[in-house]
Amino acid sequence: MTSEPVALSPSRRRVYWHTAVTLAVLVGAGCLARRHWPVLERGAVGLTVADQGWLLVGGAAAAATWACAALAQQGAVVPRLPQGRLVAAQFAAGAANHLLPAGLGAGAVNLRFLMRCGLPAGRAASALAVKGTAAAVVRAVLIVALAVACPGVLRVPRPNLVVLAVGCAAVTGVAVLLAVPRCRRALAVVLADIRAVHANPPRAAALWGGQLAFVALHALVLIAVTQAVALSLPPARVALLYVAASSAAALLPTPGGLGSLDAALAFALTASGAPATAAASAVLGYRLLTVWLPLLPGLMVLAVLVRRRSL
């Protein structure tokens, strides 16, 4: 008697695909780290003698990002959310985001939190879509504004057949999705929530102000670390490099941008004239303040929220 193969559900196939891509990117990052290990080692040594005052500024900016994430999440929904649990959920979501690829960890934590606060699953998912859309718009506007303030830093590549083919494929994919009734209904729900949020000025201000402050504070963390390691780049240029590099790294679904963001930041800094050792120190310091130091406390907060059934 032969057993028929079990068909994988679409959600499970997506998880497997994300996991495979994540492993491939992490293996590539490991190979690059091994190849450039002397530079990374000198960068770590440079970080140990960095200016402690600037590192404290970076640490304070990193801590404030969780409050900004909570503000943006509150702005994405009309009902009032419990403030203390909301900030704790963002702290826990940051830790979970570094365990699962493509933002799945943070998305899952915030989805469960919103559902525990009484929102239906569809409305909770729509709130995450509203927040994500605002984040993408804020990043695009910041890139344009900073590129105008720092001319010549970003070079727009000339369009070629590959870029045009990818763009046409993306447009075609969006058109196909919009032709599916379920996708149209989901889009209608998101648009309705966007209108409801913007009909409430305090919520709209929280959404856009929280997202803008979140990105700006992450840029400030990198600026503070570059100042701490005596990397002589203008703050506006460092902010532009951060927003552009982090936006590009988001295209690779690694947990918390591990590997992809590090490589993108290091490449952006060195391409702007920073010495390789100083760039490595800046990237290591940024990751230390935004990922490694908060990781264990964030996981502990996540465990407490789960045990108290807040997630």
Side-chain angles (χ1 to χ4, degrees):
M1 184 176 180
T2 60
S3 59
E4 296 183 359
V6 179
L8 295 176
S9 64
S11 60
R12 183 168 294 184
R13 284 198 297 268
R14 285 195 297 269
V15 171
Y16 287 160
W17 182 84
H18 284 313
T19 303
V21 174
T22 297
L23 291 176
V25 174
L26 290 178
V27 169
C31 294
L32 286 175
R34 182 178 179 182
R35 180 179 179 182
H36 299 284
W37 182 253
V39 175
L40 293 175
E41 188 175 16
R42 291 195 298 270
V45 172
L47 190 60
T48 61
V49 296
D51 186 285
Q52 301 298 313
W54 277 111
L55 290 181
L56 287 175
V57 171
T65 58
W66 303 312
C68 295
L71 183 63
Q73 188 62 77
Q74 174 62 86
V77 296
V78 175
R80 186 173 180 82
L81 302 174
Q83 295 182 2
R85 287 168 52 198
L86 177 58
V87 176
Q90 302 313 304
F91 188 39
N97 202 42
H98 294 92
L99 301 179
L100 294 175
L104 293 178
V109 169
N110 280 312
L111 183 66
R112 290 293 301 169
F113 170 74
L114 293 174
M115 292 174 64
R116 288 291 187 183
C117 291
L119 272 70
R123 290 292 179 182
S126 177
L128 296 183
V130 171
K131 182 183 176 184
T133 302
V137 172
V138 165
R139 285 180 174 274
V141 171
L142 281 176
I143 289 176
V144 173
L146 290 171
V148 172
C150 305
V153 176
L154 294 184
R155 298 177 178 84
V156 180
R158 294 182 178 179
N160 52 41
L161 293 179
V162 175
V163 174
L164 292 177
V166 171
C168 292
V171 172
T172 303
V174 171
V176 170
L177 288 176
L178 292 178
V180 179
R182 182 177 296 180
C183 293
R184 288 204 303 270
R185 289 194 296 269
L187 179 61
V189 171
V190 173
L191 292 177
D193 285 351
I194 291 176
R195 288 193 293 269
V197 166
H198 287 83
N200 188 326
R203 292 293 185 265
L207 174 65
W208 294 102
Q211 289 292 4
L212 178 60
F214 180 82
V215 180
L217 284 172
H218 269 281
L220 178 58
V221 175
L222 184 60
I223 292 171
V225 175
T226 58
Q227 295 294 322
V229 298
L231 185 55
S232 57
L233 287 177
R237 176 175 295 189
V238 176
L240 173 58
L241 295 177
Y242 164 75
V243 179
S246 59
S247 300
L251 300 176
L252 292 176
T254 58
L258 184 62
S260 58
L261 178 57
D262 305 88
L265 283 177
F267 174 79
L269 291 172
T270 52
S272 292
T277 300
S281 297
V283 174
L284 290 173
Y286 171 79
R287 283 306 217 175
L288 179 67
L289 295 176
T290 58
V291 177
W292 302 119
L293 288 180
L295 183 58
L296 182 57
L299 293 176
M300 294 173 64
V301 171
L302 177 61
V304 171
L305 291 175
V306 171
R307 187 174 61 182
R308 293 181 177 180
R309 299 186 179 276
S310 296
L311 292 178

